[in-house]
Each structure stands twice: as structure tokens, then as C-alpha cells.
Amino acid sequence: MGGNSEREQEIMEALDALLRLDTERERRLSLLDTHAVLRALSDRIRHEYGFEVSLAGLVEDRDLVLRIWSGTRNGSLHDLPIPLGLGLGGRVVSLGKPVVVGDYCRSDRITHDFDTQVSNEGVASMVGLPIGSGSTRGVLYGATRNRAEIGDNAVDGLRRLARLATLAVDVADGAATLADTSVVAERQRIAESLHDSVGAMLFGIGSSLRQLQTEARETPAVAEQLARIEHQLSTAGSTLRESVSRLREAPSDGDPSRLTAELAESVRSFERRTGVAASFVPVGLTPHLDPERTSLLVRTVGEALLNVEKHAPARSVVVTLAFYDDRVSVAVMNDGACPPSGAPACVTAGTGAGLPGLRARVERVGGSLRLVRDEDGTTLRCDIPLPRPPQVPEPSPRP
């Protein structure tokens, strides 16, 4: 009986941990309020650079949605969804570059799907700049109610604010990625806990039940009731196996979270094995990668951590994952053995046994692999170009 009570307690603790995990994830993400940052930047656009209206929006599914505004007179532009490629903001997202128009409703640089909303707000000149270090995640706008040309100084000021917005979005995306990765790891832990506790409990009940069936052969009614209980026990065991299997299910090859989950687990495993403090820092929103690129990045980090474990008396290791317009980059940095005092930094393609073959695979997809040693330690950096997206014809401006 005492053993069963302990197992029941373990089951309840596992379920409570799942609830706490969900609550903690929401709490952490709430601390990185991207909208609060965009609101502050929108106010600066008006007060510091002479714009009368400022707007900001992030890409949600297939639309850019204007969630932030300052200086508006009515709600015609509030929460406005803009399909990608349309209007000024949709064009900024499609191009990933700033777009400036001196007379919005007459410009031949954009489509005119939103002339009514813009006219209702009394806006004439407008500039939009992309937010996001990889694919465009949003747009920051400045607008005036006269047709005066928007000067270079104002555009340069918006560029600085757009870089701040990009930093905020990248940090928030990285935090969300870490939170989602933690969910995957915790699901695995709970699956193991349920397997060990509930599985052991069901096994023990089954053994006791079979013993009772042996003793109850002379009492048909009791034997029949025990047979029903055995069937229910078998059903409970099948349900448990299915639940544990779903909890343990790894992200599919096409799931962006697969890469971050595998890298985070590699870092955690290294820290458990070696006792060396190790951190994983993703920056930006993970794009869809094909299995070959995902495998190369995972293997690169694994090879680098193995080399640190074997050869570098490191006290700390940091693994970063970053996404840019045209490439994805991982870096494994450690503060291990340094060159002799006064020796120049050493840059090589890698001399570990597994690195030359890995480098050849990376170069086959157009990437690069470098091992850099200097007075601060050693860094293995891998850059792989992102797959080129299919070309989508740019929409023709409509009158």
C-alpha cells in the first residue's frame, strides 16, 4: 500500500508540473511585451522626427496587422489587416526594404487597396521600414498629412528605431523559442515519470489480480468479476502507452521547433555529462529548414561540444543560433585553453577528427565552417545559406 501511495503522489506531481509549465511559459513571454516596445517607438517617431502619425504592425499568419498607432484622428487604420504584397506595408514586407511615397493615393509604387482608410485619416506622405533580422516580421511607419517630401534625416531616424524594434522582436522570438523548447523537454520528463510510476502501479495491480484469479477458481462469480477488472486494467495500460508515446513524440522534420529542441537537448546533455556551465541562446524566429540543413546544424553543435568535452578545459560554453536574411548561423563558444601569450589568433577550418568531413558537407550546401582561437577561448562557427523561396510575381499597382 505504501508503494502505491508514493506512486500516486508521483503521478500528481507530474500533472501539477505540466500545469506549472504552461503558466510559467505565459509569464515569461508576458515579460517581453513587444507591443509595449513598439508603442514607445511610435511615440518617438512623432515627437523626435516630425511625423504627425506613426503606426506599427507585426505579421500575423498571412497578414500584416496594424496593432500600434499614435497621432491618429479616427479608427480607420486601427487593427487593419494588410495582405502581404498590398499597400505600402504589404510591399515593405514583400521586399524587406523601406518604401517611401510622397503622395500615397497617387503613388505608382504601391497598390491602392487601402486608399479609403488612408484618406479618412488625412495621411498624404508615408514611409515604412521593415522589422526583423531574418524574414520581415513587421513594419514601422511614419506619416504626414501634407505632401511634403520625407527627408533623408527622418528616414535615417526611423531606421535607427526600426533596428531597436528588430532587437525587441528578435529577443521575444528567441524567448518564445526557448519556452517552446522547454515544453518539449518537460513533456519528455513527464512521459518518463508517468511511464515509471503509473506503469509500475499497473504492473503491480496486474500481478495481484492474477494471484486472486488463481485463488478464486472455485468461485465463478468472483472469477468473472476479476476477469472484467483485468480487461479494464488492460485498457488502462494501452491508454497509458498511447499517452506516453504522444508526450514523447518528437517534432517532425518540417517543424521549425525540431532544430531548437535538438540543439537545446544537446546543450543540456553536455552540461549533465561534464558539469560545465552551458547555455543555449536562439535569436529570432526559427524558419522552416529542410532535413539536410537541420541535420548539419545539429551535427555541428554535437561535434563542437564533443571536442570541448575531450580537449578544452572550459569553465563555460555558450551555443547561439541566429537567423539572417540569407543564412542561418550556429556558434559554439568556450573559454577553454588559449594560445600562448602574445600569439596571434588562429583561424582554421578545424583540425578535430570529425571536422574535415563535416566541413565538406557544409560546403556542399554553400556554407562555411570555421574554428577560431584567440585569447578569449575557442569558437566553432557554421554558416549555412537558407533555401531560396519560390519566386512570387510582384503584384502590379492598381489604380
Side-chain angles (χ1 to χ4, degrees):
M1 293 295 292
N4 284 345
S5 297
E6 291 178 2
R7 293 191 189 99
E8 290 171 1
Q9 181 64 28
E10 290 175 359
I11 295 168
M12 295 306 297
E13 289 176 355
L15 296 176
D16 286 341
L18 193 59
L19 291 175
R20 287 196 304 272
L21 176 68
D22 185 59
T23 302
E24 179 64 14
R25 179 183 185 275
E26 293 302 319
R27 186 190 72 81
R28 290 185 181 184
L29 294 182
S30 69
L31 296 176
L32 296 162
D33 188 347
T34 307
H35 284 187
V37 175
L38 294 179
R39 280 192 292 271
L41 293 177
S42 293
D43 288 338
R44 288 185 61 183
I45 288 173
R46 291 180 58 228
H47 298 148
E48 296 182 16
Y49 298 104
F51 291 98
E52 297 171 81
V53 179
S54 58
L55 302 160
L58 296 176
V59 175
E60 302 176 14
D61 295 326
R62 296 298 301 166
D63 292 336
L64 171 72
V65 185
L66 303 184
R67 300 295 191 192
I68 308 298
W69 48 84
S70 178
T72 55
R73 293 172 176 170
N74 56 61
S76 61
L77 296 173
H78 296 181
D79 297 314
L80 179 67
I82 302 172
L84 305 188
L86 302 184
L88 183 142
R91 182 173 172 82
V92 171
V93 175
S94 297
L95 297 177
K97 299 178 181 178
V99 175
V100 182
V101 295
D103 187 341
Y104 185 98
C105 293
R106 296 182 181 179
S107 173
D108 60 0
R109 301 192 63 197
I110 60 174
T111 69
H112 290 275
D113 300 80
F114 307 101
D115 284 2
T116 299
Q117 293 90 334
V118 171
S119 296
N120 287 343
E121 186 53 55
V123 164
S125 300
M126 183 180 288
V127 56
L129 287 93
I131 298 171
S133 57
S135 59
T136 302
R137 293 275 287 111
V139 175
L140 202 60
Y141 297 79
T144 64
R145 293 191 169 90
N146 58 65
R147 291 177 175 80
E149 182 180 351
I150 296 175
D152 292 341
N153 289 339
V155 175
D156 288 343
L158 257 67
R159 282 197 176 94
R160 288 191 289 273
L161 297 185
R163 284 195 290 270
L164 292 176
T166 291
L167 178 61
V169 169
D170 284 350
V171 169
D173 286 343
T177 298
L178 278 178
D180 291 338
T181 301
S182 297
V183 169
V184 173
E186 187 67 5
R187 283 165 61 92
Q188 295 279 351
R189 190 193 68 76
I190 291 172
E192 294 172 3
S193 176
L194 289 175
H195 178 269
D196 293 343
S197 57
V198 181
M201 182 185 293
L202 292 178
F203 179 80
I205 293 173
S207 297
S208 300
L209 183 61
R210 286 187 288 274
Q211 179 65 31
L212 287 174
Q213 286 175 321
T214 301
E215 297 174 0
R217 286 174 180 171
E218 304 301 323
T219 311
V222 174
E224 182 179 348
Q225 186 174 0
L226 290 174
R228 286 198 298 272
I229 294 174
E230 183 178 30
H231 176 72
Q232 293 170 350
L233 186 63
S234 175
T235 301
S238 297
T239 302
L240 172 65
R241 286 191 295 273
E242 291 174 4
S243 299
V244 169
S245 177
R246 284 195 297 271
L247 282 169
R248 285 177 170 170
E249 190 174 287
S252 64
D253 285 344
D255 189 338
S257 65
R258 180 191 165 205
L259 173 61
T260 52
E262 291 197 25
L263 294 186
E265 179 54 35
S266 294
V267 173
R268 282 193 296 266
S269 178
F270 168 84
E271 189 172 49
R272 287 194 297 267
R273 289 195 315 269
T274 65
V276 176
S279 302
F280 173 54
V281 183
V283 179
L285 194 64
T286 309
H288 288 270
L289 292 177
D290 56 86
E292 182 179 15
R293 285 173 170 80
T294 299
S295 175
L296 277 175
L297 293 168
V298 171
R299 184 179 169 189
T300 296
V301 171
E303 184 72 25
L305 292 176
L306 183 61
N307 284 341
V308 173
E309 185 176 353
K310 287 182 175 180
H311 307 299
R315 292 170 297 177
S316 66
V317 174
V318 176
V319 177
T320 63
L321 172 67
F323 299 94
Y324 304 94
D325 291 335
D326 57 350
R327 71 189 190 282
V328 56
S329 175
V330 292
V332 181
M333 299 165 277
N334 75 83
D335 60 355
C338 303
S341 178
C346 171
V347 181
T348 177
T351 56
L355 293 183
L358 181 59
R359 177 173 180 258
R361 289 184 58 193
V362 170
E363 289 182 343
R364 277 199 295 270
V365 298
S368 64
L369 185 70
R370 297 198 312 158
L371 186 68
V372 180
R373 295 189 182 96
D374 58 27
E375 65 275 6
D376 296 321
T378 305
T379 298
L380 181 71
R381 183 178 301 279
C382 177
D383 289 285
I384 294 179
L386 292 174
R388 292 184 178 181
Q391 294 296 318
V392 178
E394 187 176 328
S396 300
R398 297 200 297 270

